[in-house]
Amino acid sequence: MKNTTGTDRTFLFLQGPHGPFFAALGRMLRRSGARVWRVGFNAGDHAFWPARKSYIPYRDTLENWPDTFESLLADKGITDIVLYGDTRPIHARAVEIAKRAGVQVHVFEEGYLRPYWVTYERGGSNGNSRLMDMTIPEMERALELSDMEAPLPPAHWGDTRQHVFYGALYHWFVMFTNQRYRNFRPHRALPVTREFRLYLQRLLMMPAHALERRIATLRIRFGGFPYHLALLQLEHDSSFQSHSPFDSMTDFLSLVIENFAAGAPQHHHLVFKAHPLEDGRVPLRREIRKLARLHNVEDRVHYVRGGKLAQLLNDARSAVTVNSTAAQQVLWRGIPLKAFGSAVYDQPEFVSKQPLTEFFAGASRPDNRAYKTYRRYLLETSQVPGGFYSARARRQLLRQVVDMMLSPDDPYNALASGTAAPRQQLRLVTK
Protein backbone atom coordinates (compact mmCIF):
# COMPACT_ATOMS: atom_id res chain seq x y z
CA MET A 1 0.00 0.00 0.00
CA LYS A 2 1.25 3.48 -0.83
CA ASN A 3 2.30 5.59 2.15
CA THR A 4 -0.43 8.13 2.87
CA THR A 5 -1.39 10.58 5.58
CA GLY A 6 -4.51 12.57 6.23
CA THR A 7 -2.85 15.90 5.37
CA ASP A 8 -5.01 17.96 2.99
CA ARG A 9 -8.00 15.66 3.60
CA THR A 10 -11.25 16.76 5.26
CA PHE A 11 -13.72 14.03 6.23
CA LEU A 12 -17.42 14.62 6.84
CA PHE A 13 -19.14 11.84 8.78
CA LEU A 14 -22.88 11.26 8.39
CA GLN A 15 -24.81 8.55 10.24
CA GLY A 16 -22.91 5.49 11.45
CA PRO A 17 -23.59 2.20 13.20
CA HIS A 18 -25.00 2.47 16.73
CA GLY A 19 -22.27 2.96 19.28
CA PRO A 20 -18.81 4.54 19.47
CA PHE A 21 -17.16 3.23 16.29
CA PHE A 22 -17.50 6.40 14.19
CA ALA A 23 -16.12 8.54 17.02
CA ALA A 24 -13.08 6.24 17.35
CA LEU A 25 -12.56 6.29 13.58
CA GLY A 26 -12.72 10.09 13.56
CA ARG A 27 -10.08 10.32 16.29
CA MET A 28 -7.75 8.03 14.34
CA LEU A 29 -8.17 10.09 11.17
CA ARG A 30 -7.34 13.28 13.10
CA ARG A 31 -4.13 11.66 14.31
CA SER A 32 -3.24 11.02 10.66
CA GLY A 33 -3.41 14.78 10.03
CA ALA A 34 -6.92 14.94 8.58
CA ARG A 35 -9.67 17.37 9.53
CA VAL A 36 -12.88 15.68 10.67
CA TRP A 37 -16.50 16.88 10.96
CA ARG A 38 -19.68 15.08 11.89
CA VAL A 39 -23.28 15.91 10.95
CA GLY A 40 -25.81 14.68 13.51
CA PHE A 41 -29.50 14.29 12.77
CA ASN A 42 -30.79 13.39 16.23
CA ALA A 43 -29.80 13.13 19.88
CA GLY A 44 -28.47 9.59 19.37
CA ASP A 45 -25.95 10.84 16.80
CA HIS A 46 -24.95 13.62 19.20
CA ALA A 47 -24.52 11.29 22.19
CA PHE A 48 -22.01 9.07 20.38
CA TRP A 49 -19.84 11.92 19.06
CA PRO A 50 -17.96 13.38 22.05
CA ALA A 51 -15.85 15.82 19.98
CA ARG A 52 -18.32 18.70 20.32
CA LYS A 53 -16.25 21.26 18.38
CA SER A 54 -16.47 19.14 15.25
CA TYR A 55 -20.17 18.29 15.61
CA ILE A 56 -22.68 19.94 13.24
CA PRO A 57 -26.33 19.47 14.22
CA TYR A 58 -28.83 19.28 11.37
CA ARG A 59 -32.27 20.30 12.62
CA ASP A 60 -33.96 21.23 9.34
CA THR A 61 -36.24 19.06 7.19
CA LEU A 62 -35.25 16.24 4.85
CA GLU A 63 -36.37 18.37 1.90
CA ASN A 64 -33.77 21.04 2.74
CA TRP A 65 -30.97 18.56 3.39
CA PRO A 66 -29.48 18.53 -0.17
CA ASP A 67 -28.94 22.33 -0.16
CA THR A 68 -27.39 22.21 3.32
CA PHE A 69 -25.15 19.32 2.33
CA GLU A 70 -23.89 21.13 -0.78
CA SER A 71 -23.09 24.17 1.36
CA LEU A 72 -21.20 22.03 3.87
CA LEU A 73 -19.07 20.51 1.12
CA ALA A 74 -18.06 23.98 -0.06
CA ASP A 75 -17.75 25.76 3.30
CA LYS A 76 -15.67 23.04 5.00
CA GLY A 77 -13.63 22.05 1.95
CA ILE A 78 -14.82 18.46 2.25
CA THR A 79 -12.77 15.90 0.32
CA ASP A 80 -14.36 12.72 1.72
CA ILE A 81 -17.67 11.68 3.23
CA VAL A 82 -18.10 8.65 5.53
CA LEU A 83 -21.38 6.83 6.13
CA TYR A 84 -22.92 3.54 7.20
CA GLY A 85 -25.18 2.15 4.48
CA ASP A 86 -25.99 4.14 1.36
CA THR A 87 -29.75 3.75 0.89
CA ARG A 88 -31.40 5.70 3.74
CA PRO A 89 -32.73 8.97 2.26
CA ILE A 90 -30.18 11.34 3.81
CA HIS A 91 -27.33 9.12 2.64
CA ALA A 92 -28.65 8.41 -0.84
CA ARG A 93 -28.99 12.13 -1.56
CA ALA A 94 -25.60 12.90 -0.07
CA VAL A 95 -23.88 10.18 -2.13
CA GLU A 96 -25.42 11.50 -5.34
CA ILE A 97 -24.29 15.06 -4.63
CA ALA A 98 -20.83 14.02 -3.43
CA LYS A 99 -20.15 11.99 -6.57
CA ARG A 100 -21.12 14.94 -8.77
CA ALA A 101 -18.76 17.16 -6.77
CA GLY A 102 -15.85 14.72 -7.02
CA VAL A 103 -15.91 13.99 -3.28
CA GLN A 104 -14.77 10.52 -2.23
CA VAL A 105 -17.54 8.36 -0.71
CA HIS A 106 -16.53 5.84 2.00
CA VAL A 107 -19.28 3.32 2.77
CA PHE A 108 -19.28 0.97 5.76
CA GLU A 109 -21.66 -1.97 6.06
CA GLU A 110 -22.03 -5.16 8.02
CA GLY A 111 -19.65 -7.74 6.62
CA TYR A 112 -20.57 -9.61 3.47
CA LEU A 113 -18.82 -12.50 5.25
CA ARG A 114 -20.22 -11.57 8.66
CA PRO A 115 -19.98 -11.89 11.56
CA TYR A 116 -16.19 -11.97 11.46
CA TRP A 117 -15.59 -9.05 9.09
CA VAL A 118 -16.85 -5.55 8.29
CA THR A 119 -17.45 -4.32 4.75
CA TYR A 120 -15.58 -1.21 3.57
CA GLU A 121 -16.19 0.03 0.01
CA ARG A 122 -16.17 3.25 -1.94
CA GLY A 123 -19.12 4.64 -3.85
CA GLY A 124 -21.74 2.13 -2.73
CA SER A 125 -22.48 -1.17 -1.01
CA ASN A 126 -24.78 -4.18 -1.43
CA GLY A 127 -26.77 -3.64 -4.65
CA ASN A 128 -24.73 -0.50 -5.37
CA SER A 129 -21.38 -2.23 -4.87
CA ARG A 130 -18.78 -2.55 -7.59
CA LEU A 131 -19.00 -6.29 -6.97
CA MET A 132 -22.32 -6.35 -8.80
CA ASP A 133 -20.51 -5.83 -12.11
CA MET A 134 -17.59 -8.20 -11.52
CA THR A 135 -17.21 -11.75 -12.82
CA ILE A 136 -15.35 -14.69 -11.32
CA PRO A 137 -12.74 -14.67 -14.15
CA GLU A 138 -12.01 -10.99 -13.40
CA MET A 139 -11.49 -11.85 -9.74
CA GLU A 140 -9.19 -14.73 -10.67
CA ARG A 141 -7.01 -12.40 -12.73
CA ALA A 142 -6.76 -9.90 -9.86
CA LEU A 143 -5.79 -12.67 -7.43
CA GLU A 144 -2.84 -13.68 -9.58
CA LEU A 145 -0.95 -10.85 -7.85
CA SER A 146 -1.52 -12.40 -4.43
CA ASP A 147 -0.49 -15.67 -2.83
CA MET A 148 -2.42 -15.19 0.43
CA GLU A 149 -4.26 -18.14 1.89
CA ALA A 150 -7.83 -17.25 2.83
CA PRO A 151 -7.95 -16.90 6.64
CA LEU A 152 -10.27 -19.04 8.69
CA PRO A 153 -12.68 -17.37 11.12
CA PRO A 154 -11.87 -17.50 14.85
CA ALA A 155 -13.45 -20.12 17.07
CA HIS A 156 -15.47 -17.58 19.09
CA TRP A 157 -16.40 -14.17 17.84
CA GLY A 158 -19.62 -12.24 18.07
CA ASP A 159 -21.00 -8.98 19.39
CA THR A 160 -24.77 -9.44 19.11
CA ARG A 161 -25.33 -8.42 22.75
CA GLN A 162 -23.32 -5.23 22.28
CA HIS A 163 -25.17 -4.54 19.03
CA VAL A 164 -28.56 -4.81 20.73
CA PHE A 165 -27.34 -2.78 23.74
CA TYR A 166 -26.09 0.14 21.64
CA GLY A 167 -29.26 0.02 19.54
CA ALA A 168 -31.40 0.32 22.67
CA LEU A 169 -29.23 3.12 24.06
CA TYR A 170 -29.29 5.05 20.79
CA HIS A 171 -33.08 4.91 20.60
CA TRP A 172 -33.34 5.90 24.27
CA PHE A 173 -31.50 9.14 23.49
CA VAL A 174 -33.73 9.77 20.48
CA MET A 175 -36.89 9.03 22.44
CA PHE A 176 -36.15 11.08 25.56
CA THR A 177 -33.66 13.82 24.60
CA ASN A 178 -34.55 14.72 21.02
CA GLN A 179 -36.30 18.02 21.71
CA ARG A 180 -33.80 20.04 19.67
CA TYR A 181 -34.27 17.82 16.59
CA ARG A 182 -38.00 18.19 16.08
CA ASN A 183 -37.75 17.74 12.30
CA PHE A 184 -35.97 14.40 12.58
CA ARG A 185 -37.73 11.54 10.84
CA PRO A 186 -36.27 8.00 11.15
CA HIS A 187 -35.51 6.18 7.91
CA ARG A 188 -37.58 3.24 9.15
CA ALA A 189 -41.37 3.15 9.31
CA LEU A 190 -41.73 2.41 13.03
CA PRO A 191 -41.83 5.28 15.55
CA VAL A 192 -38.70 5.66 17.68
CA THR A 193 -40.63 4.75 20.84
CA ARG A 194 -41.59 1.43 19.29
CA GLU A 195 -37.99 0.84 18.14
CA PHE A 196 -36.75 1.42 21.69
CA ARG A 197 -39.30 -0.94 23.21
CA LEU A 198 -38.38 -3.66 20.72
CA TYR A 199 -34.65 -3.33 21.47
CA LEU A 200 -35.30 -3.36 25.21
CA GLN A 201 -37.64 -6.34 24.96
CA ARG A 202 -35.05 -8.25 22.96
CA LEU A 203 -32.37 -7.57 25.57
CA LEU A 204 -34.62 -8.80 28.39
CA MET A 205 -35.85 -11.86 26.50
CA MET A 206 -32.45 -13.09 25.31
CA PRO A 207 -32.18 -15.96 27.86
CA ALA A 208 -35.70 -17.24 27.16
CA HIS A 209 -35.25 -16.96 23.41
CA ALA A 210 -31.93 -18.80 23.62
CA LEU A 211 -33.61 -21.73 25.41
CA GLU A 212 -36.45 -21.83 22.89
CA ARG A 213 -33.92 -21.76 20.03
CA ARG A 214 -31.91 -24.66 21.47
CA ILE A 215 -35.01 -26.81 21.86
CA ALA A 216 -36.22 -26.08 18.32
CA THR A 217 -32.76 -26.75 16.87
CA LEU A 218 -32.42 -30.08 18.70
CA ARG A 219 -35.82 -31.22 17.45
CA ILE A 220 -34.72 -30.58 13.88
CA ARG A 221 -31.25 -32.06 14.24
CA PHE A 222 -32.56 -35.25 15.84
CA GLY A 223 -35.73 -35.44 13.76
CA GLY A 224 -34.17 -37.73 11.18
CA PHE A 225 -35.75 -35.96 8.19
CA PRO A 226 -34.08 -34.19 5.25
CA TYR A 227 -34.70 -30.44 5.36
CA HIS A 228 -34.25 -27.22 3.42
CA LEU A 229 -33.40 -23.89 5.04
CA ALA A 230 -35.07 -20.54 4.36
CA LEU A 231 -32.86 -17.71 5.61
CA LEU A 232 -34.98 -14.82 6.80
CA GLN A 233 -33.94 -11.18 6.97
CA LEU A 234 -35.07 -8.06 8.76
CA GLU A 235 -37.90 -6.60 6.72
CA HIS A 236 -36.70 -3.06 7.53
CA ASP A 237 -33.09 -3.79 6.52
CA SER A 238 -31.77 -1.77 3.58
CA SER A 239 -30.76 -4.83 1.55
CA PHE A 240 -34.36 -6.10 1.70
CA GLN A 241 -36.01 -2.71 1.22
CA SER A 242 -33.82 -1.46 -1.64
CA HIS A 243 -32.52 -4.58 -3.39
CA SER A 244 -35.39 -7.06 -3.17
CA PRO A 245 -38.35 -7.88 -5.47
CA PHE A 246 -40.67 -8.31 -2.46
CA ASP A 247 -42.79 -5.66 -0.76
CA SER A 248 -42.79 -7.56 2.54
CA MET A 249 -41.27 -10.61 4.19
CA THR A 250 -44.73 -12.21 4.10
CA ASP A 251 -44.57 -12.20 0.28
CA PHE A 252 -41.31 -14.15 0.47
CA LEU A 253 -42.74 -16.61 3.01
CA SER A 254 -45.73 -17.24 0.77
CA LEU A 255 -43.60 -17.92 -2.30
CA VAL A 256 -41.27 -20.30 -0.46
CA ILE A 257 -43.98 -22.37 1.24
CA GLU A 258 -46.09 -22.62 -1.93
CA ASN A 259 -43.16 -23.89 -4.00
CA PHE A 260 -41.93 -26.19 -1.23
CA ALA A 261 -45.37 -27.81 -1.07
CA ALA A 262 -45.42 -28.21 -4.85
CA GLY A 263 -41.85 -29.39 -5.44
CA ALA A 264 -40.17 -30.97 -2.43
CA PRO A 265 -40.42 -34.73 -1.78
CA GLN A 266 -43.12 -35.44 0.79
CA HIS A 267 -40.67 -36.67 3.43
CA HIS A 268 -38.64 -33.42 3.26
CA HIS A 269 -39.12 -30.56 5.74
CA LEU A 270 -38.66 -26.79 5.54
CA VAL A 271 -36.94 -24.78 8.29
CA PHE A 272 -37.29 -20.99 8.51
CA LYS A 273 -34.30 -19.49 10.32
CA ALA A 274 -34.93 -15.98 11.69
CA HIS A 275 -32.34 -13.21 11.60
CA PRO A 276 -30.30 -12.95 14.86
CA LEU A 277 -31.68 -9.44 15.44
CA GLU A 278 -35.31 -10.24 14.62
CA ASP A 279 -37.38 -8.31 17.17
CA GLY A 280 -40.96 -9.35 16.48
CA ARG A 281 -42.14 -6.29 14.58
CA VAL A 282 -43.27 -8.70 11.85
CA PRO A 283 -45.29 -11.72 13.15
CA LEU A 284 -43.16 -14.26 11.28
CA ARG A 285 -44.11 -17.34 13.27
CA ARG A 286 -47.84 -16.63 12.91
CA GLU A 287 -47.56 -16.01 9.16
CA ILE A 288 -45.53 -19.18 8.63
CA ARG A 289 -48.08 -21.30 10.50
CA LYS A 290 -50.96 -19.77 8.54
CA LEU A 291 -49.29 -20.32 5.17
CA ALA A 292 -48.18 -23.85 6.07
CA ARG A 293 -51.78 -24.79 6.97
CA LEU A 294 -52.99 -23.22 3.71
CA HIS A 295 -50.69 -25.52 1.69
CA ASN A 296 -51.19 -28.61 3.93
CA VAL A 297 -47.56 -28.82 5.05
CA GLU A 298 -47.94 -27.61 8.65
CA ASP A 299 -46.35 -30.82 10.02
CA ARG A 300 -43.26 -30.31 7.81
CA VAL A 301 -42.53 -26.62 8.41
CA HIS A 302 -40.46 -25.31 11.36
CA TYR A 303 -39.45 -21.89 12.71
CA VAL A 304 -36.20 -21.22 14.60
CA ARG A 305 -35.33 -17.94 16.26
CA GLY A 306 -32.02 -16.20 15.52
CA GLY A 307 -28.65 -17.35 16.76
CA LYS A 308 -25.83 -19.23 15.09
CA LEU A 309 -26.59 -20.78 11.74
CA ALA A 310 -23.88 -23.45 11.63
CA GLN A 311 -25.74 -26.17 13.55
CA LEU A 312 -28.66 -26.07 11.14
CA LEU A 313 -26.53 -25.72 8.02
CA ASN A 314 -24.46 -28.82 8.62
CA ASP A 315 -27.30 -31.16 7.57
CA ALA A 316 -29.32 -28.92 5.24
CA ARG A 317 -30.08 -30.13 1.70
CA SER A 318 -30.40 -26.61 0.25
CA ALA A 319 -31.08 -23.01 1.25
CA VAL A 320 -33.20 -20.19 -0.12
CA THR A 321 -33.06 -16.48 0.68
CA VAL A 322 -33.89 -13.04 -0.63
CA ASN A 323 -30.34 -11.65 -0.44
CA SER A 324 -29.14 -12.41 3.08
CA THR A 325 -25.40 -12.28 3.73
CA ALA A 326 -25.87 -15.51 5.70
CA ALA A 327 -25.98 -17.17 2.28
CA GLN A 328 -22.19 -16.89 2.27
CA GLN A 329 -22.10 -19.58 4.96
CA VAL A 330 -24.29 -21.76 2.76
CA LEU A 331 -21.95 -21.39 -0.21
CA TRP A 332 -18.86 -21.98 1.93
CA ARG A 333 -20.24 -25.44 2.74
CA GLY A 334 -21.06 -26.20 -0.90
CA ILE A 335 -24.83 -26.31 -0.24
CA PRO A 336 -27.15 -25.40 -3.15
CA LEU A 337 -28.49 -21.86 -2.86
CA LYS A 338 -31.39 -19.96 -4.44
CA ALA A 339 -31.55 -16.15 -4.07
CA PHE A 340 -34.17 -13.66 -5.27
CA GLY A 341 -32.82 -10.17 -4.57
CA SER A 342 -29.76 -8.32 -5.80
CA ALA A 343 -26.76 -9.67 -3.88
CA VAL A 344 -23.01 -9.26 -4.21
CA TYR A 345 -22.63 -13.06 -4.24
CA ASP A 346 -25.16 -13.68 -7.03
CA GLN A 347 -22.78 -15.33 -9.47
CA PRO A 348 -24.06 -17.92 -11.98
CA GLU A 349 -21.28 -20.34 -11.03
CA PHE A 350 -22.68 -20.95 -7.56
CA VAL A 351 -26.18 -19.46 -7.15
CA SER A 352 -28.94 -21.58 -8.70
CA LYS A 353 -31.04 -20.26 -11.57
CA GLN A 354 -33.54 -23.13 -11.36
CA PRO A 355 -37.23 -22.32 -10.84
CA LEU A 356 -38.01 -22.63 -7.12
CA THR A 357 -40.28 -25.68 -7.43
CA GLU A 358 -37.58 -27.47 -9.41
CA PHE A 359 -34.95 -26.31 -6.91
CA PHE A 360 -36.83 -27.93 -4.02
CA ALA A 361 -37.32 -31.10 -6.06
CA GLY A 362 -33.60 -31.49 -6.72
CA ALA A 363 -31.18 -28.58 -6.55
CA SER A 364 -28.04 -28.55 -8.68
CA ARG A 365 -24.75 -28.31 -6.79
CA PRO A 366 -22.79 -25.03 -6.80
CA ASP A 367 -19.26 -24.69 -8.20
CA ASN A 368 -17.40 -24.68 -4.91
CA ARG A 369 -14.04 -23.84 -6.46
CA ALA A 370 -15.52 -20.71 -8.02
CA TYR A 371 -17.01 -19.70 -4.67
CA LYS A 372 -13.67 -20.11 -2.92
CA THR A 373 -12.12 -17.80 -5.51
CA TYR A 374 -14.88 -15.26 -4.84
CA ARG A 375 -14.48 -15.54 -1.07
CA ARG A 376 -10.72 -15.13 -1.25
CA TYR A 377 -11.20 -12.05 -3.45
CA LEU A 378 -13.48 -10.45 -0.85
CA LEU A 379 -11.03 -11.19 1.96
CA GLU A 380 -8.27 -9.51 -0.06
CA THR A 381 -10.35 -6.40 -0.75
CA SER A 382 -13.49 -5.14 0.99
CA GLN A 383 -13.74 -7.46 4.03
CA VAL A 384 -11.83 -6.09 7.02
CA PRO A 385 -11.32 -8.12 10.23
CA GLY A 386 -13.20 -6.65 13.18
CA GLY A 387 -16.61 -5.31 14.12
CA PHE A 388 -18.51 -2.16 15.04
CA TYR A 389 -19.86 -3.00 18.46
CA SER A 390 -17.51 -4.75 20.88
CA ALA A 391 -14.38 -2.90 22.05
CA ARG A 392 -11.96 -5.60 20.88
CA ALA A 393 -13.62 -5.85 17.49
CA ARG A 394 -13.40 -2.07 17.01
CA ARG A 395 -9.70 -2.07 17.86
CA GLN A 396 -9.07 -4.83 15.34
CA LEU A 397 -11.01 -2.96 12.66
CA LEU A 398 -9.24 0.36 13.24
CA ARG A 399 -5.81 -1.24 12.89
CA GLN A 400 -6.42 -1.71 9.20
CA VAL A 401 -9.32 0.33 7.87
CA VAL A 402 -7.86 3.81 8.45
CA ASP A 403 -4.96 3.10 6.09
CA MET A 404 -7.45 1.73 3.56
CA MET A 405 -9.44 4.98 3.73
CA LEU A 406 -6.34 7.13 3.29
CA SER A 407 -5.09 5.10 0.33
CA PRO A 408 -5.60 6.68 -3.10
CA ASP A 409 -6.87 3.29 -4.34
CA ASP A 410 -10.16 1.72 -3.36
CA PRO A 411 -9.93 -1.88 -2.06
CA TYR A 412 -10.64 -3.46 -5.43
CA ASN A 413 -8.22 -1.28 -7.41
CA ALA A 414 -5.57 -1.76 -4.72
CA LEU A 415 -5.55 -5.52 -5.30
CA ALA A 416 -5.53 -5.18 -9.07
CA SER A 417 -2.64 -2.70 -8.97
CA GLY A 418 -0.63 -4.60 -6.34
CA THR A 419 -0.88 -1.84 -3.71
CA ALA A 420 -3.16 -3.67 -1.25
CA ALA A 421 -1.90 -3.90 2.32
CA PRO A 422 -1.04 -7.33 3.76
CA ARG A 423 -4.09 -8.74 5.53
CA GLN A 424 -4.00 -9.46 9.24
CA GLN A 425 -4.88 -12.92 10.44
CA LEU A 426 -7.96 -13.23 12.60
CA ARG A 427 -7.02 -13.50 16.25
CA LEU A 428 -9.85 -11.64 17.95
CA VAL A 429 -12.01 -13.43 20.51
CA THR A 430 -14.88 -11.49 22.08
CA LYS A 431 -16.57 -12.51 25.28
Side-chain angles (χ1 to χ4, degrees):
M1 179 181 286
K2 301 172 184 176
N3 291 326
T4 57
T5 68
T7 306
D8 299 326
R9 304 277 291 275
T10 303
F11 290 81
L12 180 66
F13 283 64
L14 301 184
Q15 288 194 297
H18 299 149
F21 171 68
F22 260 22
L25 179 60
R27 286 194 296 271
M28 189 74 78
L29 286 168
R30 285 193 203 93
R31 291 172 192 153
S32 77
R35 292 170 293 279
V36 175
W37 298 92
R38 168 72 189 268
V39 179
F41 299 85
N42 58 53
D45 294 340
H46 186 256
F48 286 113
W49 190 264
R52 299 302 184 224
K53 291 182 179 179
S54 61
Y55 180 80
I56 304 169
Y58 182 75
R59 301 189 177 104
D60 208 337
T61 63
L62 178 62
E63 289 70 28
N64 292 332
W65 165 239
D67 290 339
T68 301
F69 180 71
E70 287 188 359
S71 297
L72 281 172
L73 294 184
D75 294 346
K76 303 295 185 184
I78 303 299
T79 60
D80 304 72
I81 65 169
V82 187
L83 43 90
Y84 172 70
D86 60 352
T87 58
R88 63 184 68 180
I90 56 174
H91 286 175
R93 297 180 187 187
V95 168
E96 181 183 350
I97 294 167
K99 288 182 177 180
R100 287 202 307 263
V103 170
Q104 188 66 260
V105 178
H106 304 267
V107 183
F108 284 90
E109 254 294 2
E110 304 293 340
Y112 294 148
L113 300 176
R114 72 182 72 169
Y116 313 115
W117 291 272
V118 157
T119 297
Y120 165 70
E121 295 182 280
R122 296 188 187 176
S125 64
N126 289 313
N128 298 321
S129 168
R130 286 185 58 190
L131 290 168
M132 299 299 297
D133 299 319
M134 294 185 194
T135 65
I136 299 300
E138 288 172 340
M139 296 177 187
E140 288 176 337
R141 288 193 292 272
L143 286 168
E144 290 176 358
L145 297 172
S146 169
D147 60 358
M148 183 195 89
E149 292 292 330
L152 295 174
H156 301 285
W157 187 343
D159 51 11
T160 300
R161 287 190 299 273
Q162 294 94 327
H163 190 166
V164 174
F165 169 77
Y166 282 125
L169 185 59
Y170 180 91
H171 286 92
W172 184 91
F173 282 116
V174 175
M175 188 167 64
F176 292 110
T177 66
N178 215 47
Q179 295 85 355
R180 300 177 68 186
Y181 297 88
R182 296 187 182 278
N183 288 313
F184 170 70
R185 297 293 181 271
H187 62 283
R188 294 172 178 166
L190 280 187
V192 173
T193 52
R194 176 67 173 151
E195 287 268 7
F196 171 74
R197 286 198 297 270
L198 288 170
Y199 271 105
L200 184 59
Q201 176 180 298
R202 175 157 180 77
L203 273 175
L204 296 175
M205 293 296 294
M206 272 186 168
H209 288 171
L211 178 61
E212 177 189 328
R213 179 171 62 248
R214 290 192 195 100
I215 293 171
T217 301
L218 287 172
R219 285 175 176 167
I220 294 164
R221 291 181 63 195
F222 292 104
F225 44 76
Y227 61 87
H228 308 263
L229 270 178
L231 307 177
L232 301 182
Q233 296 165 242
L234 301 176
E235 187 176 278
H236 57 272
D237 186 75
S238 62
S239 60
F240 185 89
Q241 290 289 325
S242 302
H243 306 298
S244 156
F246 302 104
D247 293 328
S248 69
M249 187 56 68
T250 301
D251 294 339
F252 174 67
L253 300 177
S254 178
L255 178 72
V256 171
I257 292 176
E258 179 182 356
N259 282 271
F260 170 78
Q266 293 189 13
H267 62 291
H268 284 208
H269 287 227
L270 176 63
V271 177
F272 286 93
K273 167 68 170 58
H275 189 280
L277 297 176
E278 180 57 56
D279 54 19
R281 69 185 65 190
V282 177
L284 294 175
R285 187 196 299 272
R286 186 180 69 195
E287 290 298 321
I288 289 168
R289 285 175 176 169
K290 181 176 71 175
L291 290 164
R293 284 196 298 270
L294 177 65
H295 294 283
N296 298 314
V297 290
E298 61 266 30
D299 58 336
R300 297 163 53 203
V301 174
H302 312 263
Y303 174 79
V304 179
R305 289 189 181 271
K308 295 185 184 301
L309 181 60
Q311 289 183 337
L312 290 172
L313 269 181
N314 290 336
D315 296 314
R317 289 295 184 90
S318 71
V320 60
T321 186
V322 179
N323 53 8
S324 171
T325 56
Q328 302 272 5
Q329 297 183 51
V330 176
L331 293 168
W332 173 246
R333 288 167 170 79
I335 297 171
L337 174 71
K338 176 75 176 175
F340 289 92
S342 298
V344 294
Y345 53 77
D346 189 10
Q347 297 283 351
E349 289 87 347
F350 43 77
V351 175
S352 177
K353 302 305 176 187
Q354 296 171 274
L356 188 54
T357 302
E358 182 182 322
F359 179 82
F360 279 127
S364 56
R365 294 183 62 181
D367 183 341
N368 197 240
R369 285 178 295 183
Y371 176 71
K372 288 181 178 178
T373 296
Y374 166 86
R375 182 179 184 273
R376 183 179 161 215
Y377 181 79
L378 260 62
L379 290 171
E380 284 268 30
T381 54
S382 61
Q383 302 306 288
V384 190
F388 297 126
Y389 306 105
S390 73
R392 291 186 181 183
R394 290 195 300 274
R395 289 197 296 269
Q396 184 82 352
L397 177 56
L398 289 168
R399 287 188 180 104
Q400 189 154 325
V401 79
V402 175
D403 286 345
M404 295 175 69
M405 295 175 70
L406 294 174
S407 170
D409 297 322
D410 86 347
Y412 305 118
N413 290 344
L415 179 63
S417 64
T419 62
R423 288 306 172 108
Q424 298 168 334
Q425 294 300 308
L426 298 175
R427 296 182 300 273
L428 176 62
V429 177
T430 62
K431 297 179 179 180

